[in-house]
Amino acid sequence: MTCNIIMQKPANINLSEYLSAKGLRSTSQRDAILKLFMAAGRHLSAEELHERVRKAHTGISYATVYRTLKLLSEAGLAKENRFDDGFTRYEYNSADDHHDHLICTRCGEISEFENDKIEALQLDVAKKKGFKVRNHKLEIYGLCSKCQRKQGE
Amino acid sequence: MTCNIIMQKPANINLSEYLSAKGLRSTSQRDAILKLFMAAGRHLSAEELHERVRKAHTGISYATVYRTLKLLSEAGLAKENRFDDGFTRYEYNSADDHHDHLICTRCGEISEFENDKIEALQLDVAKKKGFKVRNHKLEIYGLCSKCQRKQGE
DNA sequence: GATGATATTGCAAGTCATTTGCAACAAGCA
DNA sequence: TGCTTGTTGCAAATGACTTGCAATATCATC
């Protein structure tokens, strides 16, 4: 059901290219953060990432995690998502992969979907209003199947 | 197909009914805030509302505006929207009126739309994942027609 | 209308995620 | 190896929003 026929290309830029193009420096902290960020799967908050980073690589500060996450976003390697739970979650941004989110308000599980029809309809709506779309965001909040079952207990 | 997305209770309630039902009190501050909130049109931030309220009715504090806005939300008279600009905007919640938003990232204009097809597709997606929808949020960011023209200047 | 229990207010101080100033430190070119 | 300048960790600052508290106002009851 979820099999993706087209292989997802990784984000086209890699970090060290981006850094040197901008005259920035490569550091052990940045490497460690990127590595754990990519390994972690999606939708990590800065706090969660910091936790993991600190375990593997003592002494990396909160500030550095935030700064690096911002850097990764600018480089196109990460994408920021501000859901309704009050803090920003980051996901690794593979090129051209746009998707939207289903968010379980009970357990916090976030799953993804893609729907071309919805995208097309959005463009129609925007066009009718003379609006030029740059970005969009669709979030569906509710209960995942697990939590529906638990709810009955 | 019926849209069983439950958004919020219809706002057929008026404030004084809600207050007395809950054992709460009606105050001149609450009246003033509600009046200006309703008169103001949509998508006001707490700050904007406070500004207006203060002009008409000196001495109403920020805290009271926030508290009243929260009260109105609980009463179903207001709806909170957290867009990507970092702060919450409130709109008057007329019963059963669900809509989504087009947001101009240049001038901040917010316009609304409704699209039943998109809503239906969302329910499909959710259904396929065994997800029970409680709420959803669709925001399209870009440039309104005015700002596209200005962009060229 | 006066009384009194308690909801509400304004103010200032507190949250909480995120950002920033700064001095110590490190990368990487010369 | 030296030196310029980007980076880091720390602590303090931000900024939207919330809350504690003492003063005040509401409203059911007398």
Side-chain angles (χ1 to χ4, degrees):
Chain A
M1 201 48 112
T2 32
C3 64
N4 208 342
I5 308 108
I6 300 161
M7 224 176 55
Q8 276 183 357
K9 9 170 199 183
N12 1 16
I13 307 154
N14 79 19
L15 185 58
S16 42
E17 269 170 33
Y18 179 84
L19 291 175
S20 64
K22 293 262 176 183
L24 304 174
R25 288 173 187 169
S26 157
T27 66
S28 62
Q29 287 92 329
R30 285 178 178 166
D31 292 346
I33 291 169
L34 177 60
K35 192 175 150 200
L36 282 164
F37 175 58
M38 287 175 65
R42 315 197 143 204
H43 309 116
L44 234 49
S45 67
E47 189 184 4
E48 287 162 344
L49 183 54
H50 180 235
E51 192 111 334
R52 294 182 190 206
V53 165
R54 204 174 35 178
K55 275 180 194 157
H57 197 285
T58 347
I60 294 188
S61 71
Y62 238 94
T64 299
V65 172
Y66 272 109
R67 285 190 275 231
T68 304
L69 244 10
K70 185 165 239 180
L71 183 72
L72 295 177
S73 301
E74 281 157 12
L77 287 163
K79 220 164 96 189
E80 302 185 350
N81 278 112
R82 204 163 301 158
F83 299 132
D84 276 355
D85 65 353
F87 47 107
T88 305
R89 295 175 171 281
Y90 299 80
E91 56 183 316
Y92 181 66
N93 187 33
S94 42
D96 299 328
D97 164 39
H98 179 69
H99 57 257
D100 295 303
H101 296 101
L102 281 158
I103 299 151
C104 179
T105 50
R106 193 173 192 266
C107 70
E109 191 198 284
I110 297 169
S111 79
E112 299 171 358
F113 68 93
E114 242 187 292
N115 188 303
D116 294 340
K117 281 187 204 162
I118 294 181
E119 311 257 315
L121 286 166
Q122 284 177 34
L123 288 176
D124 280 358
V125 167
K127 201 173 178 183
K128 271 183 202 144
K129 298 236 182 190
F131 203 91
K132 187 173 180 184
V133 178
R134 200 172 258 174
N135 195 354
H136 66 95
K137 182 170 166 179
L138 171 54
E139 289 152 25
I140 302 180
Y141 294 89
L143 288 180
C144 70
S145 49
K146 271 186 222 157
C147 288
Q148 285 172 57
R149 258 175 267 134
K150 282 186 209 151
Q151 204 78 328
E153 282 164 19
Chain B
M1 167 191 282
T2 46
C3 173
N4 58 1
I5 298 180
I6 300 157
M7 297 308 305
Q8 215 149 357
K9 305 176 261 191
N12 307 324
I13 307 158
N14 76 21
L15 185 59
S16 40
E17 268 170 35
Y18 180 84
L19 292 175
S20 63
K22 292 262 179 185
L24 304 174
R25 290 172 184 170
S26 157
T27 67
S28 61
Q29 288 92 331
R30 286 177 177 165
D31 291 347
I33 292 169
L34 178 58
K35 192 175 150 197
L36 282 164
F37 175 58
M38 288 175 63
R42 311 194 146 209
H43 308 118
L44 234 50
S45 66
E47 190 183 3
E48 288 162 344
L49 183 54
H50 180 234
E51 192 112 334
R52 295 185 191 204
V53 165
R54 205 174 35 179
K55 273 181 196 156
H57 198 285
T58 347
I60 293 186
S61 73
Y62 239 90
T64 298
V65 171
Y66 272 109
R67 285 191 275 230
T68 304
L69 244 13
K70 187 164 238 182
L71 184 71
L72 294 178
S73 301
E74 282 158 11
L77 286 161
K79 219 164 99 189
E80 301 185 351
N81 279 112
R82 204 164 302 157
F83 299 132
D84 276 354
D85 64 355
F87 47 106
T88 304
R89 295 177 171 281
Y90 298 82
E91 56 182 317
Y92 182 66
N93 186 34
S94 42
D96 298 326
D97 163 40
H98 179 67
H99 56 257
D100 294 304
H101 296 103
L102 280 158
I103 299 154
C104 179
T105 50
R106 194 173 192 268
C107 70
E109 190 197 283
I110 298 169
S111 78
E112 299 169 358
F113 67 93
E114 242 186 294
N115 189 303
D116 293 340
K117 279 186 205 162
I118 294 181
E119 310 257 317
L121 286 167
Q122 284 178 34
L123 287 178
D124 281 356
V125 168
K127 203 172 176 183
K128 269 183 203 145
K129 298 237 183 190
F131 203 90
K132 187 171 180 186
V133 178
R134 202 174 255 173
N135 198 352
H136 66 95
K137 182 168 163 180
L138 171 55
E139 288 151 26
I140 302 179
Y141 293 88
L143 288 179
C144 70
S145 48
K146 272 186 221 158
C147 288
Q148 284 173 57
R149 259 174 266 135
K150 281 185 209 152
Q151 204 78 326
E153 280 163 23

